[in-house]
């Protein structure tokens, strides 16, 4: 772990309302350069909404943000160059090959051909997909797709990597492999990682610091050790449950969540 | 520039890889050509219209371009639903470039489809009367393709999912086709139909195409070209605006 005191992500009083419904409610936090920051919370807590605002996809209702020193709303170009992202839902083109998906990304991010080809080769080898580079993505398994998305998110050497549930629906071996890769990246290339996951043991292993969000508000924060200490529990899972309670969040499951569930079923047959 | 190119290339690749889609989309024009062409041919000739295949083929070519183009535009909904759109929207490129690349790609695909149907039509007896006009025909084919891809994109930007697709096919695309003069001459029509036909963008495309292939015209090249260019420009403008407002 490499870390210094400089904050690469700064969020102040950020709020997002969908019509009347407050999805993100006046949250503030900082992420230090080089750290692995886990953003945890139950379904519908507002994690993805926060990530969308940080990554210029969604306009906040109120509050301010800085990504790598830039304002996601005013300076979209510089912000977009600063991060790579793996979305919660799949975002590959199934009709293209793994290589073509990478190539498409590289061209969009303005990488020169020679540099682009080198990076693609390096990253596809890194996620162990180089042998399959010419295969159409629709023939890939869920885990292979996820690894490809991670490789793609890193292609333009971003300073920050957003990972929204990168291990969702994957087997333990693949999850382990993915986290090993991510840790290695964080160590070697000093990429700051902002992640969400519902697997507490993963967060415990990989995160330097954690913020827990529920109903749009940050209700607890600290290192994994601090959270365990605070609640007097042995594992992060127990600590998490004692902080967020044991009730299932379904009161707000609207049409969007429904659509998302459908999408997941479509994709992970 | 390279952004536009890679988006264009993606459309071409997706199209050329979906053989089922290509073959499937040839069935309809072939059916129209054979059933209508040979079915109505004798009556049309008896009424003094001449060879019906000569009249019909440009209309059917326009039809297949219309369908392919609208469909290409609508494909944005798929990208939205299957997530790929997000990948393009967080990239550090202007949305207008994404829009232009996609639209050019979709229009190229529709143009290729039109050329294939032209070949198909020649196989069932259609003759190009003057080959010097072939480039003009291609210009009209491309304009039709561009306009309707733009229209598809504009509509797709407003829709959340594919549920509205049937609605658009039945209440927009089909009427545009049937009332465009693709199947019948625009002369001596009831007044109401005549007005609708002259408000139908495809009428001008079909007319230009027919003029270029066979010399038969209703509006004339200059009006066709003027109308098509202006509305294409407007729809691309509108489409870009709507596309730029998409939130995912
Ligand atoms: N476009 C939208 N319109 C209306 N409500 C929305 C929209 N997107 C999200 N929401 C709502 O905002 C809330 C927060 O959603 P968000 O996707 O940020 O949750 P999350 O923490 O990522 O949950 P999960 O763990 O299930 O991914 C949810 O209640 C959701 O229904
Ligand atoms: Mg989420």
């Amino acid at each position: 772990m490499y870390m210094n005191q400089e904050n690469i992500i700064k969020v102040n009083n950020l709020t997002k309302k969908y019509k009347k419904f407050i999805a993100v409610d006046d949250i503030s936090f900082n992420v230090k350069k080089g750290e692995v920051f886990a953003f945890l919370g139950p379904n519908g807590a507002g994690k993805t909404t926060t990530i969308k605002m940080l990554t210029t996809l969604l306009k906040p209702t109120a509050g301010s943000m800085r990504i790598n020193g830039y304002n996601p709303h005013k300076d979209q170009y510089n912000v977009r160059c600063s991060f790579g992202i793996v979305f919660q839902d799949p975002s590959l083109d199934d009709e293209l090959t793994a290589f073509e998906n990478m190539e498409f990304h590289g061209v969009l991010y303005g990488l020169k051909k020679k540099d682009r080809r080198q990076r693609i080769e390096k990253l596809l080898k890194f996620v162990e997909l180089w042998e399959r580079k010419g295969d159409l993505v629709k023939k890939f398994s869920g885990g292979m797709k996820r690894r490809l998305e991670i490789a793609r998110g890193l292609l333009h050497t971003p300073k920050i990597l957003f990972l929204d549930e990168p291990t969702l629906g994957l087997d333990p071996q693949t999850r382990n492999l993915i986290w090993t890769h991510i840790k290695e990246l964080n160590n070697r290339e000093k990429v700051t990682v902002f992640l969400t996951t519902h697997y507490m043991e993963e967060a415990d292993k990989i995160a330097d610091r954690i913020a827990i969000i529920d109903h749009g508000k940050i209700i607890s924060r600290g290192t994994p050790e601090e959270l365990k200490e605070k609640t007097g529990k042995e594992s992060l899972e127990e600590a998490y449950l004692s902080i967020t309670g044991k009730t299932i969040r379904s009161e707000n499951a609207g049409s969007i969540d429904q659509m998302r569930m459908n999408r997941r079923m479509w994709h992970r047959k | 520039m390279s952004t536009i190119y890679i988006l264009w290339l993606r459309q071409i690749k997706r199209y050329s890889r979906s053989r089922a889609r290509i073959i499937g989309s040839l069935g309809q024009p072939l059916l129209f050509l054979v059933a209508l062409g040979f079915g109505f041919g004798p009556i049309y000739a008896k009424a003094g219209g001449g060879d019906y295949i000569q009249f019909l083929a440009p209309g059917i070519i326009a039809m297949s371009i219309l369908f392919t183009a609208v469909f290409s535009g609508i494909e944005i909904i798929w990208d939205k639903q299957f997530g790929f759109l997000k990948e393009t929207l967080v990239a550090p490129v202007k949305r207008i470039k994404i829009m232009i690349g996609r639209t050019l790609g979709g229009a190229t695909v529709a143009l290729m489809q039109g050329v294939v149907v032209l070949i198909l039509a020649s196989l069932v007896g259609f003759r190009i009367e003057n080959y010097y006009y072939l480039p003009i025909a291609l210009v009209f084919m491309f304009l039709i393709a561009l306009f309707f891809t733009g229209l598809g994109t504009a509509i797709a930007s407003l829709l959340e999912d594919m549920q509205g697709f049937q609605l658009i096919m039945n209440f927009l695309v089909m009427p545009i086709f049937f009332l465009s003069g693709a199947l019948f001459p625009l002369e001596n029509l009831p007044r109401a139909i005549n007005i609708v036909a002259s408000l139908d963008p495809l009428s001008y495309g079909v007319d230009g195409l027919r003029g270029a292939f066979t010399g038969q015209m209703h509006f004339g090249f200059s009006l066709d070209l003027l109308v098509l260019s202006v509305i294409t420009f407007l729809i691309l403008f509108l489409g870009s605006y709507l596309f730029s407002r998409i939130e995912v």
Side-chain angles (χ1 to χ4, degrees):
Chain A
M1 176 188 65
Y2 150 97
M3 222 195 277
N4 65 22
Q5 288 313 299
E6 199 183 326
N7 291 321
I8 195 160
I9 301 177
K10 290 187 224 169
V11 174
N12 283 311
N13 306 101
L14 191 65
T15 299
K16 177 69 193 180
K17 287 186 195 164
Y18 292 111
K19 304 216 173 74
K20 283 268 153 59
F21 178 70
I22 305 178
V24 172
D25 192 0
D26 194 28
I27 61 171
S28 303
F29 62 89
N30 293 322
V31 177
K32 297 192 184 96
K33 199 172 196 167
E35 80 174 325
V36 176
F37 186 87
F39 202 48
L40 308 177
N43 290 136
K47 304 179 297 292
T48 299
T49 305
T50 305
I51 291 183
K52 282 185 179 171
M53 289 189 279
L54 294 174
T55 56
T56 75
L57 281 173
L58 208 57
K59 205 195 266 177
T61 312
S64 70
M65 303 170 278
R66 284 288 176 283
I67 299 289
N68 194 22
Y70 306 107
N71 178 339
H73 227 73
K74 299 236 164 60
D75 204 347
Q76 291 190 337
Y77 178 82
N78 282 315
V79 171
R80 286 173 180 171
C81 292
S82 309
F83 70 83
I85 182 166
V86 174
F87 298 101
Q88 180 169 347
D89 306 309
S91 67
L92 296 164
D93 188 338
D94 279 10
E95 302 288 333
L96 298 183
T97 65
F99 187 83
E100 286 167 343
N101 268 285
M102 295 293 276
E103 181 77 357
F104 183 90
H105 185 92
V107 172
L108 282 195
Y109 282 77
L111 303 185
K112 295 272 169 298
K113 188 163 181 179
K114 195 162 154 256
D115 184 32
R116 190 168 75 219
R117 293 285 157 88
Q118 274 171 359
R119 290 248 346 136
I120 291 177
E121 181 170 350
K122 183 172 152 213
L123 284 163
L124 284 182
K125 282 181 175 159
F126 174 59
V127 297
E128 296 163 35
L129 285 175
W130 179 245
E131 319 294 55
R132 306 289 302 268
K133 64 180 188 299
D135 290 2
L136 291 183
V137 169
K138 66 177 167 198
K139 297 188 180 143
F140 280 12
S141 72
M144 292 163 75
K145 287 185 187 175
R146 230 37 187 160
R147 268 144 54 202
L148 179 58
E149 286 182 303
I150 292 170
R152 184 181 67 178
L154 291 167
L155 186 55
H156 55 285
T157 36
K159 290 216 162 65
I160 307 166
L161 184 61
F162 287 96
L163 301 166
D164 198 352
E165 299 188 32
T167 51
L168 175 76
L170 305 180
D171 63 30
Q173 289 84 350
T174 314
R175 290 194 338 235
N176 184 45
L177 180 71
I178 284 179
W179 289 122
T180 313
H181 284 337
I182 290 168
K183 198 71 203 168
E184 193 184 327
L185 256 159
N186 174 249
N187 284 331
R188 215 179 43 193
E189 300 199 23
K190 316 285 178 247
V191 184
T192 305
V193 178
F194 183 105
L195 66 95
T196 80
T197 177
H198 290 300
Y199 301 108
M200 292 306 138
E201 70 289 357
E202 293 179 353
D204 196 4
K205 258 186 263 164
I206 194 173
D208 298 314
R209 286 194 310 140
I210 292 173
I212 295 180
I213 181 172
D214 196 7
H215 299 296
K217 283 189 180 304
I218 292 183
I219 53 172
S220 193
R221 60 182 96 207
T223 64
E225 295 316 314
E226 283 167 359
L227 291 181
K228 287 183 231 171
E229 232 162 80
K230 231 187 263 182
T231 52
K233 303 285 183 190
E234 288 290 308
S235 69
L236 187 63
E237 173 120 13
E238 287 170 300
Y240 172 84
L241 284 173
S242 93
I243 292 166
T244 54
K246 289 191 175 162
T247 43
I248 288 173
R249 310 309 141 101
S250 59
E251 65 271 33
N252 286 318
S255 60
I256 300 287
D257 292 309
Q258 206 57 48
M259 193 169 98
R260 226 188 246 147
M261 293 302 282
N262 290 343
R263 237 191 271 168
R264 273 183 215 171
M265 301 206 321
W266 269 93
H267 278 272
R268 308 201 192 285
K269 275 166 245 168
Chain B
M1 203 51 220
S2 49
T3 302
I4 294 176
Y5 170 72
I6 197 86
L7 277 145
W8 176 85
L9 189 66
R10 170 175 178 248
Q11 298 288 106
I12 307 292
K13 281 187 170 162
R14 284 175 67 95
Y15 176 73
S16 54
R17 275 172 201 173
S18 55
R19 230 160 262 151
R21 182 178 153 199
I22 301 176
I23 294 168
S25 57
L26 292 180
Q28 203 175 19
L30 191 64
L31 190 66
F32 270 80
L33 279 171
V34 171
L36 297 182
F38 296 124
F40 284 119
I43 307 180
Y44 190 79
K46 212 176 280 172
D51 187 350
Y52 188 49
I53 285 278
Q54 286 301 97
F55 180 85
L56 180 68
I60 300 302
I61 294 168
M63 172 195 84
S64 68
I65 298 174
L66 162 75
F67 289 173
T68 315
V70 170
F71 192 80
S72 294
I74 296 266
E75 264 191 315
I76 289 190
I77 299 179
W78 256 283
D79 282 357
K80 214 192 272 186
Q81 268 192 310
F82 290 104
F84 187 74
L85 191 64
K86 279 193 290 241
E87 150 77 359
T88 41
L89 296 186
V90 291
V93 291
K94 292 229 159 54
R95 288 207 182 176
I96 179 96
K97 286 192 180 171
I98 298 174
M99 165 79 185
I100 292 175
R102 283 197 72 102
T103 309
L104 284 178
T108 309
V109 163
L111 177 67
M112 297 193 305
Q113 184 79 16
V115 171
V116 175
V117 174
L118 171 61
I119 295 167
L120 214 59
S122 323
L123 295 179
V124 297
F126 175 64
R127 283 165 287 107
I128 296 175
E129 307 209 336
N130 189 342
Y131 277 93
Y132 288 117
Y133 280 101
L134 196 59
I136 297 184
L138 288 174
V139 167
F140 275 103
M141 284 163 78
F142 191 64
L143 278 176
I144 299 172
L146 208 52
F147 174 76
F148 286 106
T149 309
L151 184 68
T153 311
I155 293 171
S157 305
L158 294 171
L159 297 180
E160 271 297 323
D161 51 42
M162 288 306 285
Q163 282 171 13
F165 184 66
Q166 273 306 320
L167 212 67
I168 289 156
M169 280 313 281
N170 290 329
F171 290 97
L172 190 70
V173 179
M174 285 302 179
I176 283 178
F177 165 57
F178 279 106
L179 299 170
S180 66
L183 300 176
F184 47 78
L186 296 178
E187 274 77 30
N188 308 321
L189 287 177
R191 203 175 151 69
I193 303 223
N194 204 321
I195 291 173
V196 175
S198 25
L199 292 175
D200 183 342
L202 191 64
S203 298
Y204 300 89
V206 167
D207 193 54
L209 207 53
R210 192 172 281 141
F213 279 137
T214 69
Q216 303 177 50
M217 295 203 92
H218 180 76
F219 300 114
F221 281 136
S222 15
L223 185 61
D224 291 339
L225 207 59
L226 182 72
V227 171
L228 276 181
S229 323
V230 171
I231 59 174
T232 301
F233 184 75
L234 289 179
I235 200 75
L236 292 181
F237 201 73
L238 179 70
S240 309
Y241 169 72
L242 293 175
F243 185 73
S244 73
R245 291 185 355 151
I246 292 184
E247 280 192 342
V248 283

